[in-house]
Each structure stands twice: as structure tokens, then as C-alpha cells.
Amino acid sequence: CRALEHKGRLPYLELEDDSSKDFTIQEEQDFYEALSPSQKQLLERIPFALTSDQKRCITQINKDIDTSEYSKIKLEENKPLYTMSRLVQGDVGSGKTLTAFFACLRIVDLGGQCALMAPTEVLATQHFETFTKLFSGTGIRCELLVGSTKVKEKKDIKERLKNGEIDLIIGTHALIQEDVEFERLGLVITDEQHRFGVAQRARMWKK
């Protein structure tokens, strides 16, 4: 995982396949101890080990969140917050989605809400099914909002989202609609962001 800073560009984390960068025993212990409760739950539920790059990316994202104003104030006070902007890139199957889930859980454990926006209903549904399977019975409230969601269900989801009764909302462009409101949105993740316009992504950030 490389955290690269470019002048005038977004800092990004790159997931690579490099076994020469394996964690030491101490680094493994430090990584686990720094995880939030829900992140530890996820780590214990996945049927495989995280790669060293995933761990490094998760660690850096956690540090961004923990050193921001977000972790230091009560969300309901509506004070201006430090904004983290990161691009996680990697090959197909390198673990970007799972890394995103870990970031969401950090925010949820701080009492915030997260939104994960995908460009297609198929991809959004896939993310939703993966997350709900991993976190079945844990109490973390996740919902799916896409164009084909039934009108009555959409109304219910939007109401619960506004009231803070949903922790993670996964969806498509449907999340950009003006009537989609959050009580305490803390993190927006855009999957395949190149398939969304700048103005569309900005509308999510402003929520």
C-alpha cells in the first residue's frame, strides 16, 4: 500500500501484491489493537486473511479519521469537520471494497453514518449482499437504495436515514436525490468514481 501525495491531486492509497512487505508480529498486534470494535468483528468474520497492503491502507485511513475533528466532537453539534479525501486504487480482486467496509465501520463506531455509492444497481446490490452477509445479527443497520426500489420502501428508507436509524446506506445515483437526507453523515465512498460526474460527487459530499 503506497500513500502518494501529489501537488494539486488527491492523495491516494494503492493496493499492491507484494509479499516482501509482510507485517512483523509486532505490526500485526498493533494493527489489531488499533481496530475499533466493529472492525474487529469484521476481521473475525471474513474467511481469509487480509493482505499486508489492505492492513496498511486501513491503518492510514483509520489515522485520518482519528486525527480529524470528526472523532473529537459530538456529531449532533453540527460543527465544521475536517474532510478526508482519499483515492484507493488497485487491480480487480485486490480488496478495495473490503477496505472501504473497514472505513465505514470506523465511522459507525464513532456514531456516524456512511454512504457507499456504486454506478450500477448490480454492483450496489452485490456490495449490499456482501455486507449484510458478513454482518448478519450484529445490529449494524444497512439498507439498499437504488432506482428499482419500490416507492413505499424508498420512503421508509429515506425517513429512517434522516432519523439516524440507518448506519450504512448502499446505493446508486438514487443517493444523490435532494430528498435523501442524513442525520449525521460522516463518510461517503464512491465506487468507480470515474463513472460519476464531479458535480454528482459534490452533491453527496454536501450532504
PDB file of all heavy atoms in Angstrom, residues 69-70 72-82 185:
ATOM      1  N   GLU A  69     -11.371  16.243  13.150  1.00  0.00           N
ATOM      2  CA  GLU A  69     -12.294  16.804  14.130  1.00  0.00           C
ATOM      3  C   GLU A  69     -13.468  15.866  14.352  1.00  0.00           C
ATOM      4  O   GLU A  69     -14.137  15.919  15.371  1.00  0.00           O
ATOM      5  CB  GLU A  69     -12.798  18.172  13.642  1.00  0.00           C
ATOM      6  CG  GLU A  69     -11.735  19.252  13.668  1.00  0.00           C
ATOM      7  CD  GLU A  69     -11.167  19.459  15.065  1.00  0.00           C
ATOM      8  OE1 GLU A  69     -11.963  19.612  16.009  1.00  0.00           O
ATOM      9  OE2 GLU A  69      -9.952  19.444  15.225  1.00  0.00           O
ATOM     10  N   TYR A  70     -13.717  14.993  13.368  1.00  0.00           N
ATOM     11  CA  TYR A  70     -14.865  14.086  13.451  1.00  0.00           C
ATOM     12  C   TYR A  70     -14.839  13.245  14.721  1.00  0.00           C
ATOM     13  O   TYR A  70     -15.864  13.009  15.338  1.00  0.00           O
ATOM     14  CB  TYR A  70     -14.872  13.159  12.229  1.00  0.00           C
ATOM     15  CG  TYR A  70     -16.170  12.401  12.075  1.00  0.00           C
ATOM     16  CD1 TYR A  70     -17.183  12.921  11.295  1.00  0.00           C
ATOM     17  CD2 TYR A  70     -16.380  11.206  12.727  1.00  0.00           C
ATOM     18  CE1 TYR A  70     -18.387  12.258  11.157  1.00  0.00           C
ATOM     19  CE2 TYR A  70     -17.582  10.529  12.603  1.00  0.00           C
ATOM     20  CZ  TYR A  70     -18.577  11.058  11.814  1.00  0.00           C
ATOM     21  OH  TYR A  70     -19.756  10.395  11.708  1.00  0.00           O
ATOM     22  N   LYS A  72     -13.457  13.998  17.513  1.00  0.00           N
ATOM     23  CA  LYS A  72     -13.246  14.780  18.729  1.00  0.00           C
ATOM     24  C   LYS A  72     -14.482  15.545  19.211  1.00  0.00           C
ATOM     25  O   LYS A  72     -14.472  16.102  20.296  1.00  0.00           O
ATOM     26  CB  LYS A  72     -12.108  15.779  18.497  1.00  0.00           C
ATOM     27  CG  LYS A  72     -10.777  15.114  18.150  1.00  0.00           C
ATOM     28  CD  LYS A  72      -9.725  16.160  17.822  1.00  0.00           C
ATOM     29  CE  LYS A  72      -8.412  15.507  17.396  1.00  0.00           C
ATOM     30  NZ  LYS A  72      -7.411  16.501  16.991  1.00  0.00           N
ATOM     31  N   ILE A  73     -15.528  15.595  18.387  1.00  0.00           N
ATOM     32  CA  ILE A  73     -16.705  16.358  18.790  1.00  0.00           C
ATOM     33  C   ILE A  73     -17.957  15.511  18.650  1.00  0.00           C
ATOM     34  O   ILE A  73     -17.958  14.479  17.993  1.00  0.00           O
ATOM     35  CB  ILE A  73     -16.867  17.634  17.941  1.00  0.00           C
ATOM     36  CG1 ILE A  73     -17.193  17.261  16.481  1.00  0.00           C
ATOM     37  CG2 ILE A  73     -15.663  18.514  18.008  1.00  0.00           C
ATOM     38  CD1 ILE A  73     -17.549  18.446  15.638  1.00  0.00           C
ATOM     39  N   LYS A  74     -19.024  15.936  19.252  1.00  0.00           N
ATOM     40  CA  LYS A  74     -20.290  15.254  19.110  1.00  0.00           C
ATOM     41  C   LYS A  74     -20.902  15.639  17.765  1.00  0.00           C
ATOM     42  O   LYS A  74     -20.986  16.814  17.418  1.00  0.00           O
ATOM     43  CB  LYS A  74     -21.240  15.648  20.245  1.00  0.00           C
ATOM     44  CG  LYS A  74     -20.779  15.162  21.622  1.00  0.00           C
ATOM     45  CD  LYS A  74     -21.779  15.546  22.689  1.00  0.00           C
ATOM     46  CE  LYS A  74     -21.321  15.048  24.061  1.00  0.00           C
ATOM     47  NZ  LYS A  74     -22.271  15.433  25.128  1.00  0.00           N
ATOM     48  N   LEU A  75     -21.348  14.643  17.025  1.00  0.00           N
ATOM     49  CA  LEU A  75     -21.833  14.885  15.676  1.00  0.00           C
ATOM     50  C   LEU A  75     -23.045  15.809  15.652  1.00  0.00           C
ATOM     51  O   LEU A  75     -23.219  16.600  14.733  1.00  0.00           O
ATOM     52  CB  LEU A  75     -22.189  13.551  15.014  1.00  0.00           C
ATOM     53  CG  LEU A  75     -21.032  12.560  14.915  1.00  0.00           C
ATOM     54  CD1 LEU A  75     -21.523  11.262  14.289  1.00  0.00           C
ATOM     55  CD2 LEU A  75     -19.909  13.129  14.084  1.00  0.00           C
ATOM     56  N   GLU A  76     -23.879  15.722  16.684  1.00  0.00           N
ATOM     57  CA  GLU A  76     -25.112  16.494  16.663  1.00  0.00           C
ATOM     58  C   GLU A  76     -24.878  17.983  16.856  1.00  0.00           C
ATOM     59  O   GLU A  76     -25.793  18.794  16.721  1.00  0.00           O
ATOM     60  CB  GLU A  76     -26.088  15.977  17.734  1.00  0.00           C
ATOM     61  CG  GLU A  76     -25.564  16.043  19.157  1.00  0.00           C
ATOM     62  CD  GLU A  76     -24.869  14.746  19.572  1.00  0.00           C
ATOM     63  OE1 GLU A  76     -24.439  14.001  18.669  1.00  0.00           O
ATOM     64  OE2 GLU A  76     -24.762  14.498  20.782  1.00  0.00           O
ATOM     65  N   GLU A  77     -23.663  18.376  17.145  1.00  0.00           N
ATOM     66  CA  GLU A  77     -23.385  19.796  17.345  1.00  0.00           C
ATOM     67  C   GLU A  77     -23.258  20.548  16.029  1.00  0.00           C
ATOM     68  O   GLU A  77     -23.214  21.767  15.992  1.00  0.00           O
ATOM     69  CB  GLU A  77     -22.092  19.959  18.159  1.00  0.00           C
ATOM     70  CG  GLU A  77     -22.250  19.504  19.615  1.00  0.00           C
ATOM     71  CD  GLU A  77     -20.957  19.601  20.390  1.00  0.00           C
ATOM     72  OE1 GLU A  77     -19.926  19.935  19.768  1.00  0.00           O
ATOM     73  OE2 GLU A  77     -20.969  19.364  21.602  1.00  0.00           O
ATOM     74  N   ASN A  78     -23.169  19.805  14.918  1.00  0.00           N
ATOM     75  CA  ASN A  78     -23.125  20.407  13.585  1.00  0.00           C
ATOM     76  C   ASN A  78     -21.977  21.401  13.406  1.00  0.00           C
ATOM     77  O   ASN A  78     -22.121  22.432  12.755  1.00  0.00           O
ATOM     78  CB  ASN A  78     -24.457  21.102  13.265  1.00  0.00           C
ATOM     79  CG  ASN A  78     -25.594  20.112  13.146  1.00  0.00           C
ATOM     80  OD1 ASN A  78     -25.422  19.040  12.572  1.00  0.00           O
ATOM     81  ND2 ASN A  78     -26.745  20.459  13.681  1.00  0.00           N
ATOM     82  N   LYS A  79     -20.847  21.098  13.976  1.00  0.00           N
ATOM     83  CA  LYS A  79     -19.680  21.951  13.788  1.00  0.00           C
ATOM     84  C   LYS A  79     -18.971  21.555  12.498  1.00  0.00           C
ATOM     85  O   LYS A  79     -19.099  20.432  12.037  1.00  0.00           O
ATOM     86  CB  LYS A  79     -18.722  21.806  14.975  1.00  0.00           C
ATOM     87  CG  LYS A  79     -19.278  22.350  16.284  1.00  0.00           C
ATOM     88  CD  LYS A  79     -18.247  22.208  17.393  1.00  0.00           C
ATOM     89  CE  LYS A  79     -18.769  22.770  18.703  1.00  0.00           C
ATOM     90  NZ  LYS A  79     -17.794  22.617  19.795  1.00  0.00           N
ATOM     91  N   PRO A  80     -18.199  22.473  11.884  1.00  0.00           N
ATOM     92  CA  PRO A  80     -17.469  22.113  10.670  1.00  0.00           C
ATOM     93  C   PRO A  80     -16.455  21.008  10.956  1.00  0.00           C
ATOM     94  O   PRO A  80     -15.790  21.025  11.987  1.00  0.00           O
ATOM     95  CB  PRO A  80     -16.773  23.422  10.262  1.00  0.00           C
ATOM     96  CG  PRO A  80     -16.731  24.227  11.519  1.00  0.00           C
ATOM     97  CD  PRO A  80     -17.965  23.870  12.274  1.00  0.00           C
ATOM     98  N   LEU A  81     -16.324  20.058  10.043  1.00  0.00           N
ATOM     99  CA  LEU A  81     -15.447  18.925  10.247  1.00  0.00           C
ATOM    100  C   LEU A  81     -14.309  18.916   9.241  1.00  0.00           C
ATOM    101  O   LEU A  81     -14.425  19.414   8.127  1.00  0.00           O
ATOM    102  CB  LEU A  81     -16.246  17.614  10.096  1.00  0.00           C
ATOM    103  CG  LEU A  81     -17.458  17.454  11.000  1.00  0.00           C
ATOM    104  CD1 LEU A  81     -18.177  16.156  10.675  1.00  0.00           C
ATOM    105  CD2 LEU A  81     -17.039  17.462  12.454  1.00  0.00           C
ATOM    106  N   TYR A  82     -13.191  18.343   9.647  1.00  0.00           N
ATOM    107  CA  TYR A  82     -12.077  18.107   8.745  1.00  0.00           C
ATOM    108  C   TYR A  82     -12.506  17.065   7.718  1.00  0.00           C
ATOM    109  O   TYR A  82     -13.138  16.070   8.044  1.00  0.00           O
ATOM    110  CB  TYR A  82     -10.882  17.598   9.536  1.00  0.00           C
ATOM    111  CG  TYR A  82      -9.796  16.972   8.690  1.00  0.00           C
ATOM    112  CD1 TYR A  82      -8.897  17.756   7.982  1.00  0.00           C
ATOM    113  CD2 TYR A  82      -9.679  15.588   8.600  1.00  0.00           C
ATOM    114  CE1 TYR A  82      -7.907  17.178   7.203  1.00  0.00           C
ATOM    115  CE2 TYR A  82      -8.701  15.009   7.834  1.00  0.00           C
ATOM    116  CZ  TYR A  82      -7.815  15.805   7.140  1.00  0.00           C
ATOM    117  OH  TYR A  82      -6.841  15.230   6.366  1.00  0.00           O
ATOM    118  N   LEU A 185     -24.109  12.223   8.556  1.00  0.00           N
ATOM    119  CA  LEU A 185     -23.258  11.584   7.544  1.00  0.00           C
ATOM    120  C   LEU A 185     -21.795  11.882   7.835  1.00  0.00           C
ATOM    121  O   LEU A 185     -21.392  13.034   7.961  1.00  0.00           O
ATOM    122  CB  LEU A 185     -23.631  12.085   6.147  1.00  0.00           C
ATOM    123  CG  LEU A 185     -22.819  11.508   4.991  1.00  0.00           C
ATOM    124  CD1 LEU A 185     -22.995   9.991   4.896  1.00  0.00           C
ATOM    125  CD2 LEU A 185     -23.234  12.170   3.673  1.00  0.00           C
TER     126      LEU A 185
END
